[in-house]
Amino acid sequence: MSAPVPVLLVHGIRTSASMWRVQLEDLAADGRPALAIDLPGHGARIGEPFTVEAALEAIDAGVQRLGGRVLLVGLSLGGYFSIEYAARHPQGVAGLIAASCSTLPRGPGLAGYRALAGAIRRLPDKGLAINNGMARMAVGRQAAADLGAGGIALDVMDAGLRAAGSLDPLAGLAAYPGPVWIVNGSLDHFRLDEARFVRANPRTEHVLIPRATHLVSLVRPREFTSILRRVAAAVDTEQGGDIRSIVDTAE
């Protein structure tokens, strides 16, 4: 019997590897190798410049640590860069979960997001109090603690958004030859182009978690981990089967 495919987890903007605590604990209990990395400018790498190439190098370093071929899981900012990595290095990606990143990072929406981030950054605390308060409201106290345990990257927003805006995730999905799972919360505001993301790769499964918002792995951690486990098992056997039924009865 072959070894299980390891899992590499890539976080969203301003947070760090710590946001994946629940998933790492659950995968460890399963005996499945897993690693969560910090992107440049985040977590243990706060203060480092965030660029496209630096982010892809961070993902590649994680892939190599896990043996050179992984199930790649990215959420939000991490999702966009996971798509790009899979397109450039398909040999290292046995399967791809792109969560909470089904809006094209361009145009007025991106410009408005960058303008808001710039205004918040000019506050005396660079927006730390706003970030922490909104996190507790969005995901609850324990998940907010996981979200911030590795530190909050207060200075990375503009660079991260600018870098994401240079990517073409639809082209990336089309270029990646492996299986893809688009996973979103039904209440996520990053679903504006969801149908286009699902159509971009013919090997895509679309999984929608009911009543979950943008930070879906923190809002509905058990449901997200269930999806992750089923996807990992499918990748292990190279079946890539339909997993939508596992969230049909989610509360």
Side-chain angles (χ1 to χ4, degrees):
M1 182 176 179
S2 60
V5 174
V7 176
L8 183 65
L9 300 152
V10 189
H11 62 80
I13 201 163
R14 284 172 66 113
T15 181
S16 71
S18 68
M19 68 167 284
W20 299 108
R21 178 188 63 82
V22 171
Q23 286 74 39
L24 288 171
E25 290 179 355
D26 288 344
L27 291 171
D30 295 343
R32 183 175 295 275
L35 173 68
I37 63 165
D38 286 331
L39 292 170
H42 298 77
R45 304 182 63 177
I46 284 178
E48 294 184 20
F50 189 102
T51 66
V52 170
E53 293 306 321
L56 295 176
E57 287 171 6
I59 295 173
D60 189 62
V63 171
Q64 300 312 315
R65 282 183 61 186
L66 288 172
R69 187 164 173 80
V70 304
L71 169 58
L72 185 56
V73 182
L75 183 141
S76 195
L77 181 73
Y80 291 117
F81 280 92
S82 292
I83 291 170
E84 184 67 16
Y85 182 87
R88 296 193 191 191
H89 304 281
Q91 71 284 356
V93 182
L96 172 67
I97 296 179
S100 306
C101 60
S102 295
T103 291
L104 290 171
R106 62 182 62 154
L110 179 62
Y113 196 2
R114 288 181 65 185
L116 177 60
I120 292 173
R121 188 173 180 273
R122 289 192 290 271
L123 295 172
D125 66 349
K126 298 183 179 181
L128 181 61
I130 292 175
N131 179 90
N132 293 345
M134 291 184 66
R136 285 192 294 272
M137 287 190 293
V139 301
R141 188 170 296 277
Q142 179 56 62
D146 292 340
L147 199 63
I152 301 298
L154 298 173
D155 297 316
V156 78
M157 284 291 288
D158 191 64
L161 294 173
R162 182 172 64 249
S166 71
L167 304 179
D168 185 344
L170 295 180
L173 288 169
Y176 173 58
V180 177
W181 288 264
I182 300 293
V183 179
N184 291 320
S186 65
L187 303 179
D188 188 2
H189 56 292
F190 269 67
R191 292 178 57 206
L192 297 179
D193 300 296
E194 186 177 65
R196 298 177 68 186
F197 276 68
V198 172
R199 291 195 304 266
N201 182 305
R203 298 189 65 189
T204 296
E205 294 289 350
H206 176 211
V207 185
L208 200 61
I209 300 180
R211 293 175 294 282
T213 49
H214 181 61
L215 296 173
V216 62
S217 64
L218 291 154
V219 174
R220 302 293 291 274
R222 298 307 174 193
E223 288 87 345
F224 191 90
T225 299
S226 294
I227 292 166
L228 181 50
R229 283 170 163 155
R230 292 286 289 272
V231 169
V235 171
D236 284 346
T237 58
E238 298 182 351
Q239 292 177 359
D242 189 339
I243 62 165
R244 286 170 290 188
S245 63
I246 70 175
V247 294
D248 286 348
T249 59
E251 294 181 358

